[in-house]
Amino acid sequence: MTEAKNEKLKVLLFVEDEPDIVTLYKSTFERSGFSVDATDNGTAALERIAAYREKTGELPNVMVFDILLPDKISGMDVLREVRKYAEFDAIPIIMFTNFSSDEFRREIESMKNTRYMLKLEATPKQLVDEIKKMIGS
Amino acid sequence: MSTDFIVFILSVISIGSIAIGFSVYARERTNPANMFFAIFAISAGLWGGFGIIKYYAYVNWDYVPDTLYFTKFATAIIATAFFSLCLFSSSFPQGRLLLSKKMLIGKFILYMAVIVAIFIPGAVIVSDSFIEEGGVVAFQSAIEWGPFYWYLFAPFLFTCFLVGMGQLIKNYREAKDAFQKSQILYVSLGLGLSAGPGLILWFFLPQEYFWVARFSVFIFIALTAYAVLRHKFFTFRTAAAEFFTLVIGIFLFAQTVASFGDWREFAISGGLLVFVGFFGSLLITSVKHEVEHRRKLEEMTKRLTLANEHLEELDAIKSQFLSFASHQVKTPMTIIKGYVSLLQDDVETLSDEEIKDMSGKIRMATDRTISLVNNLLDLRRIEEGQMEYHMDAMDIVPLIRETFEDLRIVAENKKLSFTRELPDEAVSAQVDVIKIRQVFLNLIENALKYTNEGWVDVRLEKESDRTVLFTVRDSGLGMSDDAKKSIFKEIYRDSVVVKAIKGTGFGLYIAKHVVDAHGGEIWAESEGEGKGSAFFVRLPLDHAESVEKKDVVEN
């Protein structure tokens, strides 16, 4: 299953709070050749973004955010923060959630390089395929 | 102006004042303002009434009453009227006496002094009173005042008036709403424009114009009665109907009395009086009826509005519950679907170990879905007050052991140390076996869910002859002080659905409800976030005398 033999592993920032879902998708991403940086809350996710801007953190190749998170900062807040800066435009983001909202869908799809996917409607393989399509590999 | 006419009008005013006094008192008996006003109006009415009785006795029956005694009495009544006027002004419209204690006691002492001074023998206030033979003051006796009339009586009346006026101005300033302000304005207007000038006229006009003061006082009474009664629109309508019927009745009565001797006129007036009495009472009844009807209608509308609001709230809760419930179920379903599709897609490349691991996870997510659905149903029942308990005496040790064993696989999957310590002897308690099992399951499951490494320990121990303590401790995430307080509260009612949906602790809310129904206690302890948690359930032990089966239905 390891496809990225000759190049550096692609880095994926994964923001998800449900431990069982983290276990499932982390192993799936890793099997598909990603190095996964996982965090379970919005505050930590925003800290990651700040670190990328200060060049102290390794810029990921793709980001996957859940919307409903335990503290006051939702995945939508993290997304809005990231999309404020043109330097992250090239990094695809997938909002991967079971929170179904037309309002959020419209907002997400109006952004560059950003997709909205419902967890229950996708299999792990479909998510990985979508990610690969977006990063063009 | 003919004396007869003045007497007639004064009769009407006197009886009218007394009637208004009673009517205002009857409106709101517990309100001191109403009571003081009633005393004032009745006193004013009696004041006029005495003069009239005296006049009739003199004119019709040539009886010369003890005028001095009459006058003393009338003077005492005037003092009483002004004292109550002062008290009324300081308690209108809020219904509490606002006069300072010092002032109140001072006024009371002064009042008592006036009364004593009037009645003690000697010409202290009223020196003499007599009816002038064929004099101009046909119904009013001529009065000679004593020295204290100016030194005590007059100052008392004027201070009552001034204190009352001052208090009204103060109340006006402090009145909360425009409506109270307008009420006070009416009273002040009446007091300022009629009682005040009436007082001055009384003291400074020649005695033959005494009756002017009575007219002016009546204006005050009428205006005040209007202000007092106006605050309840409907009851004012009843009061108006009563009042006008009464006024017409009084006129007719006076006319009937006056025509005594002229039988034809007497019959007509008397007949009219009966007629007005009959139809007047019909009118009053019908107005009261209508008023009551409208009041009921208003009350019903209010109740309906409340019921409607309640329904809307329930509806909102229901739809929040629905989105909460469906979201809760989606999470384990996502896990099941994820692992099943991985198994389908990659079955050839997966090792036996990996397949076993994935099946274990599917099993766990399935269990989680089942207990979730059970919890959701319980939550609904609690909400609707339809949670039913079927209590039986049973040994809870095997129950906990089975629950523990069911969850062993979860602990193994997470590589946690999972231990238990249960008593060897039977521990009998009155429980609803299905519901209490759900509580134990929820607590152990939570501990396993929120512990990523380390251990989970389950134990049951008898505390005394009366209680048993179930404990689940873990080395997991722990919680803050705030969380300890709020975890047993239901969560989906939060106004922000997004936030509410995130809550996963509703199993604890149900657990609390169930444990409460068992007469037990449930609580949590934690040293803080990251330092593990402990959950406790204390249940009463079953005693031999209360073994009989009991079913509890909640409402």
Side-chain angles (χ1 to χ4, degrees), chain B residues 430-506:
Chain B
Q430 284 281 351
V431 293
D432 181 315
V433 59
I434 294 171
K435 298 209 170 54
I436 206 77
R437 183 183 184 278
Q438 193 70 23
V439 172
F440 298 144
L441 187 75
N442 268 332
L443 293 181
I444 306 174
E445 254 180 352
N446 274 346
L448 291 169
K449 187 175 165 193
Y450 294 110
T451 304
N452 291 325
E453 51 190 29
W455 49 268
V456 171
D457 177 62
V458 177
R459 55 184 67 212
L460 183 74
E461 53 205 334
K462 265 191 176 178
E463 288 186 303
S464 64
D465 291 346
R466 297 180 161 276
T467 56
V468 63
L469 188 67
F470 170 81
T471 316
V472 183
R473 287 175 196 276
D474 64 55
S475 61
L477 297 180
M479 59 194 132
S480 64
D481 284 351
D482 281 352
K484 264 185 276 177
K485 282 178 211 144
S486 61
I487 46 172
F488 294 106
K489 290 186 183 143
E490 81 195 295
I491 26 65
Y492 72 88
R493 260 194 186 178
D494 252 309
S495 51
V496 185
V497 185
V498 174
K499 202 177 124 211
I501 281 175
K502 216 44 230 169
T504 44
F506 72 107

Coordinates of all heavy atoms in Angstrom, one line a residue, chain B residues 430-506:
Chain B
Q430 N -33.0 -3.1 45.9 CA -34.3 -3.0 45.1 C -33.9 -2.2 43.9 O -33.6 -1.0 43.9 CB -35.3 -2.2 45.9 CG -36.0 -2.9 47.0 CD -37.1 -3.8 46.5 OE1 -37.5 -3.8 45.3 NE2 -37.6 -4.7 47.4
V431 N -33.9 -2.9 42.7 CA -33.5 -2.2 41.5 C -34.4 -2.6 40.3 O -35.0 -3.6 40.3 CB -32.0 -2.6 41.1 CG1 -31.0 -2.0 42.1 CG2 -31.8 -4.0 40.9
D432 N -34.4 -1.6 39.4 CA -34.9 -2.0 38.0 C -33.7 -2.5 37.3 O -32.8 -1.7 36.9 CB -35.5 -0.7 37.4 CG -36.1 -1.0 36.0 OD1 -35.4 -1.8 35.2 OD2 -37.2 -0.6 35.7
V433 N -33.7 -3.8 37.1 CA -32.4 -4.4 36.6 C -32.0 -3.9 35.2 O -30.8 -3.6 35.1 CB -32.6 -6.0 36.5 CG1 -33.7 -6.4 35.7 CG2 -31.3 -6.6 36.1
I434 N -32.9 -3.6 34.3 CA -32.5 -3.1 33.0 C -31.8 -1.7 33.1 O -30.8 -1.4 32.6 CB -33.7 -3.1 32.0 CG1 -34.1 -4.6 31.8 CG2 -33.3 -2.4 30.7 CD1 -35.4 -4.7 31.0
K435 N -32.5 -0.9 33.9 CA -32.1 0.5 34.0 C -30.8 0.6 34.8 O -29.9 1.4 34.4 CB -33.2 1.4 34.6 CG -34.4 1.3 33.7 CD -35.2 2.6 33.8 CE -36.2 2.6 32.7 NZ -37.1 1.3 32.7
I436 N -30.7 -0.1 35.9 CA -29.5 0.0 36.7 C -28.3 -0.6 36.0 O -27.2 -0.1 36.1 CB -29.7 -0.6 38.1 CG1 -28.8 0.2 39.1 CG2 -29.4 -2.0 38.2 CD1 -29.2 1.5 39.5
R437 N -28.5 -1.6 35.2 CA -27.4 -2.2 34.4 C -26.9 -1.1 33.4 O -25.7 -1.0 33.2 CB -27.9 -3.4 33.6 CG -26.8 -4.1 32.9 CD -27.3 -5.3 32.0 NE -26.2 -5.9 31.4 CZ -25.6 -5.5 30.3 NH1 -26.1 -4.4 29.7 NH2 -24.5 -6.1 29.8
Q438 N -27.8 -0.4 32.8 CA -27.5 0.7 31.9 C -26.6 1.7 32.5 O -25.7 2.2 31.9 CB -28.8 1.3 31.3 CG -28.6 2.2 30.1 CD -28.2 1.4 28.9 OE1 -28.5 0.2 28.8 NE2 -27.6 2.0 27.9
V439 N -26.9 2.0 33.8 CA -26.1 3.0 34.6 C -24.6 2.5 34.7 O -23.7 3.2 34.4 CB -26.7 3.3 35.9 CG1 -25.7 4.1 36.8 CG2 -28.0 4.0 35.8
F440 N -24.5 1.2 35.2 CA -23.2 0.6 35.4 C -22.4 0.6 34.0 O -21.2 0.9 33.9 CB -23.3 -0.8 35.9 CG -23.9 -0.9 37.3 CD1 -24.7 -1.9 37.7 CD2 -23.7 0.1 38.2 CE1 -25.3 -2.0 38.9 CE2 -24.2 0.1 39.5 CZ -25.1 -1.0 39.9
L441 N -23.1 0.2 33.0 CA -22.5 0.1 31.6 C -22.0 1.5 31.2 O -20.9 1.6 30.7 CB -23.6 -0.5 30.7 CG -23.1 -0.8 29.3 CD1 -22.3 -2.1 29.3 CD2 -24.3 -0.9 28.3
N442 N -22.9 2.5 31.3 CA -22.5 3.8 30.9 C -21.3 4.3 31.6 O -20.4 4.9 31.0 CB -23.6 4.8 31.3 CG -24.6 5.0 30.1 OD1 -24.2 4.8 29.0 ND2 -25.9 5.3 30.4
L443 N -21.2 4.1 32.9 CA -20.1 4.6 33.7 C -18.8 3.9 33.3 O -17.7 4.5 33.1 CB -20.3 4.4 35.2 CG -21.5 5.3 35.8 CD1 -21.6 5.1 37.3 CD2 -21.2 6.8 35.5
I444 N -18.8 2.6 33.1 CA -17.6 1.8 32.8 C -17.2 2.2 31.3 O -16.0 2.4 31.0 CB -17.8 0.3 33.0 CG1 -18.3 0.0 34.4 CG2 -16.5 -0.4 32.7 CD1 -18.6 -1.5 34.6
E445 N -18.2 2.2 30.4 CA -17.9 2.6 29.0 C -17.3 3.9 28.9 O -16.3 4.1 28.2 CB -19.3 2.6 28.2 CG -19.4 1.4 27.3 CD -20.8 1.5 26.6 OE1 -21.6 2.4 26.9 OE2 -21.0 0.7 25.7
N446 N -17.8 4.9 29.7 CA -17.2 6.3 29.6 C -15.8 6.2 30.1 O -14.9 6.9 29.5 CB -18.0 7.2 30.6 CG -19.2 7.8 29.9 OD1 -19.3 7.8 28.7 ND2 -20.1 8.4 30.7
A447 N -15.5 5.5 31.2 CA -14.2 5.4 31.7 C -13.2 4.9 30.6 O -12.1 5.4 30.4 CB -14.1 4.6 32.9
L448 N -13.7 3.8 29.9 CA -12.9 3.2 28.9 C -12.7 4.1 27.7 O -11.6 4.2 27.1 CB -13.5 1.9 28.4 CG -13.5 0.7 29.4 CD1 -14.4 -0.4 29.0 CD2 -12.1 0.2 29.7
K449 N -13.8 4.9 27.4 CA -13.7 5.8 26.2 C -12.7 6.9 26.5 O -12.0 7.3 25.6 CB -15.1 6.3 26.0 CG -15.3 7.1 24.7 CD -16.7 7.5 24.5 CE -16.8 8.6 23.4 NZ -18.1 9.2 23.4
Y450 N -12.7 7.5 27.7 CA -11.9 8.6 27.9 C -10.6 8.3 28.6 O -9.9 9.2 29.1 CB -12.7 9.6 28.8 CG -13.9 10.2 28.1 CD1 -15.2 9.9 28.5 CD2 -13.7 11.0 27.0 CE1 -16.3 10.4 27.8 CE2 -14.8 11.5 26.3 CZ -16.1 11.2 26.7 OH -17.1 11.7 26.0
T451 N -10.2 7.0 28.5 CA -8.9 6.7 29.0 C -8.1 6.1 27.9 O -8.5 5.0 27.3 CB -9.0 5.6 30.2 OG1 -9.8 6.2 31.2 CG2 -7.6 5.3 30.7
N452 N -7.0 6.7 27.5 CA -6.2 6.3 26.3 C -5.1 5.4 26.7 O -4.7 4.5 26.0 CB -5.7 7.4 25.5 CG -6.9 8.1 24.8 OD1 -7.9 7.5 24.4 ND2 -6.8 9.5 24.7
E453 N -4.6 5.6 27.9 CA -3.6 4.6 28.4 C -3.7 4.6 30.0 O -4.2 5.5 30.6 CB -2.2 5.0 28.0 CG -1.8 6.5 28.3 CD -0.5 6.9 27.6 OE1 -0.2 6.3 26.5 OE2 0.2 7.7 28.1
G454 N -3.3 3.4 30.5 CA -3.3 3.3 31.9 C -4.3 2.2 32.3 O -4.3 1.1 31.8
W455 N -5.2 2.6 33.2 CA -6.1 1.6 33.8 C -7.5 2.1 34.1 O -7.7 3.3 34.2 CB -5.5 1.1 35.1 CG -5.1 2.3 36.0 CD1 -3.8 2.9 36.1 CD2 -5.9 3.0 37.0 NE1 -3.8 3.9 37.0 CE2 -5.1 4.0 37.6 CE3 -7.2 2.8 37.4 CZ2 -5.5 4.8 38.5 CZ3 -7.7 3.7 38.4 CH2 -6.9 4.7 38.9
V456 N -8.4 1.1 34.2 CA -9.8 1.4 34.7 C -10.1 0.4 35.7 O -9.8 -0.8 35.5 CB -10.8 1.3 33.5 CG1 -12.2 1.3 34.0 CG2 -10.6 2.4 32.5
D457 N -10.6 0.8 36.9 CA -10.8 -0.1 38.0 C -12.3 0.1 38.4 O -12.8 1.2 38.6 CB -9.9 0.3 39.2 CG -10.2 -0.6 40.4 OD1 -10.0 -1.9 40.2 OD2 -10.6 -0.1 41.4
V458 N -12.9 -1.1 38.6 CA -14.4 -1.1 39.0 C -14.5 -1.8 40.3 O -13.9 -2.9 40.5 CB -15.2 -1.9 37.9 CG1 -16.6 -2.0 38.3 CG2 -15.1 -1.2 36.5
R459 N -15.2 -1.2 41.2 CA -15.4 -2.0 42.5 C -16.8 -1.7 43.1 O -17.4 -0.7 42.8 CB -14.3 -1.7 43.5 CG -14.0 -0.3 43.8 CD -12.8 -0.2 44.8 NE -11.5 -0.6 44.1 CZ -10.5 -1.2 44.7 NH1 -10.6 -1.4 46.0 NH2 -9.4 -1.5 44.1
L460 N -17.2 -2.7 44.0 CA -18.4 -2.5 44.7 C -18.1 -2.9 46.1 O -17.5 -3.9 46.4 CB -19.5 -3.5 44.1 CG -20.8 -3.4 44.7 CD1 -21.6 -2.1 44.3 CD2 -21.7 -4.6 44.4
E461 N -18.5 -2.0 47.1 CA -18.3 -2.4 48.5 C -19.4 -1.9 49.4 O -20.0 -0.8 49.1 CB -17.0 -1.7 49.0 CG -16.9 -0.3 48.7 CD -15.4 0.2 48.6 OE1 -14.5 -0.4 49.2 OE2 -15.1 1.2 47.9
K462 N -19.7 -2.7 50.4 CA -20.7 -2.3 51.3 C -20.2 -1.3 52.2 O -19.1 -1.4 52.8 CB -21.1 -3.6 52.2 CG -22.3 -4.3 51.7 CD -22.8 -5.3 52.7 CE -24.0 -6.0 52.2 NZ -24.5 -7.0 53.1
E463 N -20.9 -0.2 52.4 CA -20.4 0.9 53.2 C -20.9 0.7 54.7 O -20.2 1.1 55.6 CB -21.0 2.2 52.7 CG -20.3 2.7 51.4 CD -20.8 4.1 51.1 OE1 -22.0 4.3 51.0 OE2 -19.9 5.0 51.0
S464 N -22.1 0.2 54.8 CA -22.8 0.0 56.1 C -23.9 -1.0 55.9 O -23.9 -1.6 54.9 CB -23.3 1.3 56.6 OG -24.4 1.7 55.7
D465 N -24.7 -1.1 56.9 CA -25.9 -2.0 56.7 C -26.9 -1.4 55.8 O -27.8 -2.1 55.3 CB -26.6 -2.2 58.1 CG -25.7 -3.0 59.0 OD1 -24.7 -3.6 58.5 OD2 -26.0 -3.1 60.2
R466 N -26.7 -0.2 55.5 CA -27.8 0.5 54.7 C -27.4 0.8 53.3 O -28.3 0.8 52.4 CB -28.1 1.9 55.4 CG -28.7 1.7 56.8 CD -29.0 3.0 57.4 NE -29.9 2.8 58.5 CZ -31.2 2.7 58.4 NH1 -31.8 2.8 57.2 NH2 -32.0 2.5 59.4
T467 N -26.1 1.0 53.0 CA -25.8 1.4 51.6 C -24.6 0.6 51.1 O -23.8 0.1 51.8 CB -25.4 2.9 51.6 OG1 -24.3 3.1 52.5 CG2 -26.5 3.8 51.9
V468 N -24.6 0.6 49.7 CA -23.5 0.0 49.0 C -22.9 1.0 48.0 O -23.7 1.9 47.5 CB -24.0 -1.3 48.3 CG1 -25.0 -0.9 47.3 CG2 -22.8 -2.1 47.7
L469 N -21.6 1.0 47.8 CA -21.0 2.0 46.9 C -20.3 1.3 45.7 O -19.5 0.5 45.8 CB -19.9 2.8 47.7 CG -19.3 4.0 47.0 CD1 -20.4 5.1 46.8 CD2 -18.1 4.5 47.8
F470 N -20.8 1.8 44.5 CA -20.2 1.3 43.3 C -19.2 2.4 42.8 O -19.6 3.6 42.8 CB -21.3 1.1 42.3 CG -20.8 0.9 40.9 CD1 -20.4 -0.4 40.5 CD2 -20.8 1.9 39.9 CE1 -20.0 -0.6 39.2 CE2 -20.4 1.6 38.6 CZ -20.0 0.4 38.2
T471 N -18.0 2.0 42.4 CA -17.0 3.0 42.0 C -16.3 2.6 40.7 O -16.0 1.4 40.5 CB -15.9 3.1 43.1 OG1 -16.5 3.2 44.4 CG2 -15.1 4.4 42.9
V472 N -16.2 3.6 39.8 CA -15.3 3.3 38.6 C -14.3 4.4 38.6 O -14.6 5.6 38.6 CB -16.2 3.5 37.3 CG1 -15.3 3.2 36.1 CG2 -17.4 2.6 37.3
R473 N -13.0 4.0 38.7 CA -11.9 4.9 38.6 C -11.1 4.7 37.4 O -11.0 3.6 36.9 CB -10.9 4.7 39.8 CG -11.5 5.2 41.1 CD -10.5 4.8 42.2 NE -11.2 4.9 43.5 CZ -11.4 6.0 44.2 NH1 -10.9 7.2 43.7 NH2 -12.0 6.1 45.4
D474 N -10.5 5.8 36.8 CA -9.6 5.6 35.7 C -8.5 6.5 35.7 O -8.4 7.5 36.5 CB -10.5 5.8 34.4 CG -11.0 7.2 34.2 OD1 -10.2 8.1 34.3 OD2 -12.2 7.4 34.1
S475 N -7.5 6.3 34.8 CA -6.3 7.2 34.7 C -6.4 8.0 33.5 O -5.4 8.4 32.9 CB -5.1 6.3 34.7 OG -5.1 5.5 33.5
G476 N -7.7 8.3 33.1 CA -7.9 9.0 31.8 C -7.9 10.5 31.8 O -7.2 11.1 32.6
L477 N -8.7 11.1 31.0 CA -8.7 12.5 30.7 C -9.0 13.4 31.9 O -8.5 14.5 32.0 CB -9.7 12.9 29.6 CG -9.4 12.2 28.2 CD1 -10.4 12.6 27.2 CD2 -8.0 12.6 27.7
G478 N -9.8 12.9 32.9 CA -10.1 13.7 34.0 C -11.1 14.8 33.6 O -11.5 14.9 32.5
M479 N -11.3 15.7 34.5 CA -12.2 16.9 34.2 C -12.0 18.0 35.1 O -11.5 17.9 36.2 CB -13.7 16.4 34.2 CG -14.1 15.9 35.5 SD -15.7 15.1 35.3 CE -15.4 13.6 36.2
S480 N -12.5 19.2 34.6 CA -12.4 20.4 35.4 C -13.5 20.5 36.5 O -14.4 19.7 36.4 CB -12.5 21.6 34.5 OG -13.8 21.6 33.9
D481 N -13.4 21.4 37.4 CA -14.4 21.6 38.4 C -15.7 21.9 37.8 O -16.8 21.4 38.3 CB -14.0 22.7 39.4 CG -12.9 22.2 40.4 OD1 -12.6 21.0 40.4 OD2 -12.4 23.0 41.1
D482 N -15.7 22.7 36.8 CA -17.0 23.1 36.1 C -17.7 21.9 35.5 O -18.9 21.7 35.7 CB -16.7 24.1 35.0 CG -16.5 25.5 35.5 OD1 -16.7 25.7 36.7 OD2 -16.1 26.4 34.7
A483 N -16.8 21.1 34.9 CA -17.4 19.9 34.3 C -18.0 18.9 35.3 O -19.1 18.4 35.1 CB -16.3 19.1 33.5
K484 N -17.4 18.8 36.5 CA -17.9 18.0 37.5 C -19.3 18.4 37.9 O -20.2 17.5 38.2 CB -17.0 18.0 38.8 CG -16.0 16.9 38.8 CD -15.2 17.0 40.1 CE -14.1 18.0 40.0 NZ -13.3 18.1 41.3
K485 N -19.6 19.7 37.9 CA -20.9 20.2 38.3 C -21.9 19.9 37.1 O -23.1 19.7 37.4 CB -20.8 21.6 38.6 CG -20.3 21.9 40.0 CD -20.2 23.4 40.2 CE -19.0 23.7 41.2 NZ -18.3 24.9 40.8
S486 N -21.5 20.1 35.9 CA -22.5 20.1 34.8 C -22.7 18.8 34.1 O -23.6 18.6 33.4 CB -22.1 21.2 33.8 OG -20.8 20.8 33.3
I487 N -21.8 17.8 34.4 CA -21.9 16.6 33.6 C -23.2 15.8 33.8 O -23.6 15.1 32.9 CB -20.8 15.6 33.8 CG1 -20.5 15.4 35.3 CG2 -19.5 16.0 33.0 CD1 -19.5 14.3 35.6
F488 N -23.9 16.0 34.9 CA -25.1 15.2 35.1 C -26.3 16.0 34.6 O -27.4 15.5 34.8 CB -25.3 14.9 36.6 CG -24.2 14.0 37.1 CD1 -23.2 14.4 37.9 CD2 -24.2 12.6 36.7 CE1 -22.2 13.6 38.4 CE2 -23.3 11.8 37.2 CZ -22.2 12.2 38.0
K489 N -26.1 17.2 34.0 CA -27.2 17.9 33.5 C -27.4 17.5 32.1 O -26.5 17.2 31.4 CB -26.9 19.4 33.6 CG -27.0 19.9 35.0 CD -26.8 21.4 35.1 CE -26.8 21.8 36.5 NZ -25.9 22.9 36.8
E490 N -28.7 17.6 31.6 CA -28.9 17.3 30.2 C -28.3 18.3 29.4 O -28.1 19.5 29.8 CB -30.4 17.2 30.0 CG -31.1 18.5 29.8 CD -32.6 18.4 29.9 OE1 -33.1 17.7 29.0 OE2 -33.1 19.0 30.8
I491 N -28.0 17.9 28.1 CA -27.2 18.8 27.4 C -27.8 19.3 26.1 O -27.5 20.4 25.6 CB -25.8 18.2 27.0 CG1 -25.9 16.7 27.0 CG2 -24.8 18.6 28.0 CD1 -26.8 16.2 25.9
Y492 N -28.8 18.6 25.5 CA -29.2 19.0 24.2 C -30.1 20.2 24.2 O -30.5 20.7 23.2 CB -29.9 17.8 23.5 CG -31.2 17.4 24.0 CD1 -32.3 18.0 23.5 CD2 -31.3 16.5 25.0 CE1 -33.6 17.7 24.1 CE2 -32.5 16.1 25.5 CZ -33.6 16.7 25.0 OH -34.9 16.4 25.5
R493 N -30.5 20.7 25.4 CA -31.4 21.8 25.5 C -30.7 23.1 25.2 O -31.4 24.2 25.2 CB -32.1 21.8 26.8 CG -33.4 21.2 26.8 CD -34.2 21.6 28.0 NE -35.4 20.9 28.0 CZ -36.3 21.0 29.0 NH1 -36.0 21.7 30.0 NH2 -37.4 20.3 28.9
D494 N -29.4 23.1 25.1 CA -28.7 24.3 24.9 C -29.2 25.1 23.6 O -29.6 24.5 22.7 CB -27.2 24.0 24.6 CG -26.4 24.4 25.8 OD1 -26.6 25.6 26.2 OD2 -25.7 23.6 26.3
S495 N -29.2 26.4 23.8 CA -29.8 27.2 22.7 C -29.0 27.0 21.4 O -29.6 27.0 20.3 CB -29.9 28.6 23.0 OG -28.7 29.0 23.5
V496 N -27.7 26.8 21.5 CA -26.9 26.7 20.3 C -26.8 25.2 20.0 O -26.2 24.4 20.7 CB -25.5 27.2 20.5 CG1 -24.7 27.2 19.2 CG2 -25.6 28.6 21.1
V497 N -27.5 24.8 18.9 CA -27.6 23.4 18.6 C -26.2 22.8 18.4 O -25.9 21.7 18.8 CB -28.5 23.2 17.3 CG1 -28.7 21.7 17.0 CG2 -29.8 23.9 17.5
V498 N -25.4 23.6 17.7 CA -24.1 23.1 17.3 C -23.3 22.6 18.6 O -22.8 21.6 18.7 CB -23.3 24.1 16.6 CG1 -21.9 23.7 16.3 CG2 -23.9 24.5 15.3
K499 N -23.4 23.5 19.6 CA -22.7 23.3 20.8 C -23.3 22.1 21.5 O -22.6 21.2 22.0 CB -22.8 24.5 21.7 CG -21.7 24.6 22.8 CD -21.9 25.9 23.5 CE -22.0 25.6 25.0 NZ -22.9 26.6 25.7
A500 N -24.7 22.1 21.5 CA -25.4 21.0 22.2 C -25.1 19.6 21.7 O -24.9 18.7 22.4 CB -26.9 21.3 22.2
I501 N -25.1 19.6 20.3 CA -24.9 18.3 19.7 C -23.6 17.7 20.1 O -23.4 16.4 20.2 CB -25.0 18.5 18.2 CG1 -26.5 18.6 17.8 CG2 -24.3 17.4 17.4 CD1 -26.7 18.9 16.3
K502 N -22.6 18.5 20.4 CA -21.3 18.0 20.7 C -21.3 17.2 22.0 O -20.5 16.4 22.3 CB -20.4 19.2 20.9 CG -19.0 19.0 20.4 CD -18.9 18.3 19.1 CE -18.0 17.1 19.2 NZ -18.1 16.2 18.1
G503 N -22.3 17.6 22.9 CA -22.3 16.9 24.2 C -22.5 15.4 24.1 O -23.3 15.0 23.3
T504 N -21.7 14.7 24.9 CA -21.9 13.2 24.8 C -22.2 12.7 26.2 O -22.4 11.5 26.3 CB -20.6 12.6 24.3 OG1 -19.5 13.1 25.0 CG2 -20.4 12.7 22.8
G505 N -22.4 13.6 27.1 CA -22.6 13.1 28.5 C -24.0 12.8 28.9 O -24.3 12.8 30.0
F506 N -24.9 12.7 27.9 CA -26.3 12.6 28.3 C -26.6 11.2 29.0 O -27.6 11.1 29.7 CB -27.3 12.9 27.2 CG -27.3 11.9 26.1 CD1 -28.4 11.0 26.0 CD2 -26.3 11.7 25.2 CE1 -28.5 10.1 25.0 CE2 -26.3 10.8 24.2 CZ -27.4 9.9 24.1

